[in-house]
Amino acid sequence: MGQAYLTVLIPLIGALVLVIVKNQSFQRAFAVLTSLLTLILSLFQYTSLDRANKGFQLLWEHLWIPSWNLSISFGFDELNAPFVLLTSFITLISVLLSLRTIENNIGKYLALLLLLSASVNAYFLSTNFLFFFFFYEAMLIPSVLLIKLWGGRKASEAAMKFLIYTFGFSIFLFASILAVYIFGGGFSFDSLYNLRLTSESKMLIFMGFVLAFAVKIPIVPFHGWLRDAYYEAPMAITIFLSAVLGKMGLYGLIRVSPAFYQQILAYGDWLVGLCIFSFVYAAFLALFERDLKAMFAYMSLSHVGIIAAGVFTGNILGFQGSLLQSINHGILSAAFFYVAELLYRNTKSFDVERFGALSKKVPAMTFFAFAYLMAMGGFPGMNYFNGELLLLSGIFNKNTLLGFIGVFGVAVGVVYLSWYFYRIFLRKPGKELSSLVRDVRSWEFVIFSILFVLSIYLGLNPDFILSGVRELTLFGGRG
């Protein structure tokens, strides 16, 4: 019942059914049912894990090529399980939002969305580098098609830029994995610890991983694809890109970094510095942006910078902060983009200067938007506070100056979040589009409420994510 492959198989079968059955009412209902079933299964699998067991659990393995000892295998451990749960949750939100926003070829669209979810979960659950790389690449097919076929006016250019960046830089990931196979003796994650190479050679392998994942996260200056892809994609896909796809790069760093501890000690200051630069630079981009969707895209870019910095600190505080904040960021970025969608739905505009004085007209949206702002700003008792505290503690332990710059970046983030909220909800008089905005209603109110409750729950109980992460280790990769 709980084997890991089911989390991949269910959305995959769902996608196949949606292609075969052409009735739109059935397609809509079945997509929701499939994504809901996957989420329930993911939650069951997550809560059934033995936190004291550092090996892969609920393991499924099939010997693919016996002569080469190559297997396809999926399993859970304390590193990938939170990301699988996040992916399943965001998939359900994206499917539900798509039912309101997508009109053309909804069946094919939902099939591609479920295929994307299945491939991302397969990436997180892979227990060896061969299929880790395969699914890292496979997710490009549905994601590029979803942007190109259902995106905005410049969707084709945005999809092509996304493809060129991510596919082009994956050559570095392939080279590093090939080096692990040759010099480590296999494709298993554990082979990272068997590398019989000089420190300089190991650093080259590590940098191959870093370059590939830096584009997927992304980190400045490897972010050239982000604004166009996020902006031109349908909002449900933008939510998936921000909340989940960027986490593929962060998960990759979290997975491999413990094996390169000595290299991180030697060069970590430079890598942390690059990530903190990305954090602060993107924060200023968000501060001076008046287009709400673009602002939230830069906000997402900013925050993944400091999350990546935690991995490169080489200490457990930064490591825990990166894992926890990856999940927190996924939840809150989905919430912010959903707010932007509700503002856009009847106005067809993301221009913050055309709104204002919405607090009395849409009280529910105002409450949720303010709650998400407080959470993202690091208010104590809400989810982002714990992750931010761990990250900054880890960075300060690594380099005091970079820690202070990180605090400055947090302050800039609070400024642009407050400035956006004031202009849209509090500024008087209201602008020409304010009268067209409608409040959160029906099942979307339930989604907003769940996102709010999660921001409180993870703020009060970060051990839901971190209970098994107490030391720097490869977890399932070490067996």
Side-chain angles (χ1 to χ4, degrees):
M1 168 61 186
Q3 283 194 312
Y5 77 92
L6 292 174
T7 317
V8 178
L9 186 62
I10 290 174
L12 195 60
I13 292 175
L16 182 62
V17 170
L18 292 180
V19 171
I20 295 173
V21 180
K22 303 300 183 183
N23 183 279
Q24 281 200 7
S25 297
F26 173 85
Q27 289 172 329
R28 290 168 175 263
F30 192 75
V32 173
L33 180 63
T34 301
S35 53
L36 179 61
L37 180 60
T38 306
L39 175 59
I40 293 171
L41 175 63
S42 299
L43 184 60
F44 167 78
Q45 291 168 326
Y46 187 85
T47 55
S48 67
L49 295 179
D50 178 6
R51 297 299 194 264
N53 183 352
K54 300 304 179 186
F56 284 113
Q57 302 175 55
L58 305 178
L59 187 66
W60 176 83
E61 186 171 13
H62 174 71
L63 191 59
W64 181 38
I65 304 179
S67 59
W68 292 359
N69 196 30
L70 292 180
S71 299
I72 178 171
S73 56
F74 299 120
F76 284 93
D77 71 355
E78 293 299 323
L79 293 188
N80 64 16
F83 290 97
V84 173
L85 187 58
L86 175 68
T87 302
S88 300
F89 175 62
I90 296 299
T91 299
L92 178 59
I93 290 179
S94 297
V95 167
L96 289 171
L97 177 56
S98 299
L99 301 185
R100 280 193 179 271
T101 57
I102 301 299
E103 299 177 357
N104 299 325
N105 296 317
I106 184 72
K108 294 178 181 177
Y109 169 93
L110 292 171
L112 284 171
L113 180 53
L114 291 180
L115 179 61
L116 175 60
S117 177
S119 59
V120 172
N121 270 340
Y123 164 81
F124 287 134
L125 289 169
S126 294
T127 64
N128 64 65
F129 277 121
L130 182 63
F131 287 95
F132 177 90
F133 178 75
F134 174 80
F135 290 112
Y136 183 89
E137 298 288 76
M139 52 69 54
L140 286 173
I141 299 172
S143 57
V144 167
L145 289 175
L146 285 164
I147 296 171
K148 177 178 171 58
L149 299 179
W150 285 273
R153 189 166 47 90
K154 299 180 179 178
S156 295
E157 294 90 334
M160 185 57 61
K161 187 182 291 186
F162 174 61
L163 178 64
I164 291 172
Y165 265 88
T166 52
F167 186 68
F169 274 80
S170 65
I171 188 65
F172 295 105
L173 178 61
F174 177 76
S176 291
I177 289 175
L178 189 60
V180 171
Y181 177 76
I182 294 171
F183 298 108
F187 285 112
S188 71
F189 293 149
D190 199 37
S191 298
L192 284 171
Y193 289 85
N194 299 328
L195 295 173
R196 307 230 188 294
L197 294 169
T198 64
S199 178
E200 291 76 12
S201 298
K202 288 183 179 180
M203 186 62 193
L204 288 175
I205 294 175
F206 182 50
M207 287 309 299
F209 285 117
V210 170
L211 284 171
F213 296 142
V215 171
K216 187 77 79 176
I217 293 172
I219 299 170
V220 176
F222 307 103
H223 67 296
W225 62 269
L226 179 134
R227 189 193 191 281
D228 290 344
Y230 279 31
Y231 198 84
E232 296 300 330
M235 188 61 82
I237 304 307
T238 300
I239 287 175
F240 199 93
L241 287 172
S242 177
V244 176
L245 255 63
K247 307 309 176 294
M248 293 175 68
L250 289 168
Y251 167 73
L253 287 180
I254 291 171
R255 174 62 71 186
V256 306
S257 63
F260 297 97
Y261 181 71
Q262 295 302 322
Q263 286 68 39
I264 288 176
L265 286 182
Y267 299 97
D269 284 352
W270 293 99
L271 294 171
V272 172
L274 176 64
C275 294
I276 293 297
F277 170 76
S278 180
F279 176 49
V280 176
Y281 174 77
F284 276 104
L285 291 179
L287 179 62
F288 295 109
E289 180 61 66
R290 62 182 282 173
D291 186 290
L292 194 61
K293 194 176 186 183
M295 179 192 298
F296 290 161
Y298 289 135
M299 177 191 72
S300 181
L301 172 63
S302 175
H303 283 275
V304 293
I306 194 171
I307 295 172
V311 181
F312 298 128
T313 59
N315 60 61
I316 187 60
L317 293 173
F319 191 82
Q320 287 179 321
S322 292
L323 177 59
L324 178 60
Q325 208 71 326
S326 293
I327 307 306
N328 291 335
H329 176 271
I331 293 168
L332 288 178
S333 64
F336 274 92
F337 278 115
Y338 213 132
V339 170
E341 161 60 28
L342 289 183
L343 291 168
Y344 177 83
R345 185 170 295 169
N346 293 316
T347 65
K348 305 306 176 187
S349 175
F350 290 114
D351 188 349
V352 297
E353 299 300 334
R354 301 178 69 187
F355 295 93
L358 287 175
S359 57
K360 292 184 179 180
K361 178 175 176 56
V362 288
M365 189 194 302
T366 303
F367 168 78
F368 286 122
F370 183 71
Y372 302 148
L373 181 157
M374 295 295 285
M376 186 69 90
F379 188 77
M382 303 190 81
N383 58 344
Y384 233 68
F385 173 77
N386 300 306
E388 214 159 63
L389 183 63
L390 286 168
L391 286 169
L392 289 173
S393 298
I395 294 167
F396 268 108
N397 281 344
K398 181 68 175 175
N399 186 298
T400 303
L401 176 61
L402 292 176
F404 279 112
I405 298 174
V407 172
F408 173 72
V410 171
V412 176
V414 173
V415 170
Y416 68 68
L417 287 173
S418 301
W419 183 226
Y420 121 78
F421 185 82
Y422 168 77
R423 285 184 287 176
I424 289 181
F425 294 100
L426 302 179
R427 178 181 53 188
K428 296 180 181 179
K431 302 297 182 178
E432 69 270 21
L433 296 182
S434 296
S435 61
L436 302 177
V437 180
R438 298 292 178 265
D439 209 353
V440 186
R441 293 178 294 181
S442 66
W443 52 264
E444 290 184 316
F445 186 90
V446 176
I447 292 176
F448 274 63
S449 299
I450 291 172
L451 290 167
F452 171 67
V453 169
L454 283 175
S455 70
I456 297 291
Y457 177 73
L458 291 178
L460 299 177
N461 185 29
D463 267 2
F464 183 74
I465 304 297
L466 296 178
S467 60
V469 184
R470 295 290 182 253
E471 57 186 355
L472 292 174
T473 173
L474 205 59
F475 292 82
R478 293 297 277 170

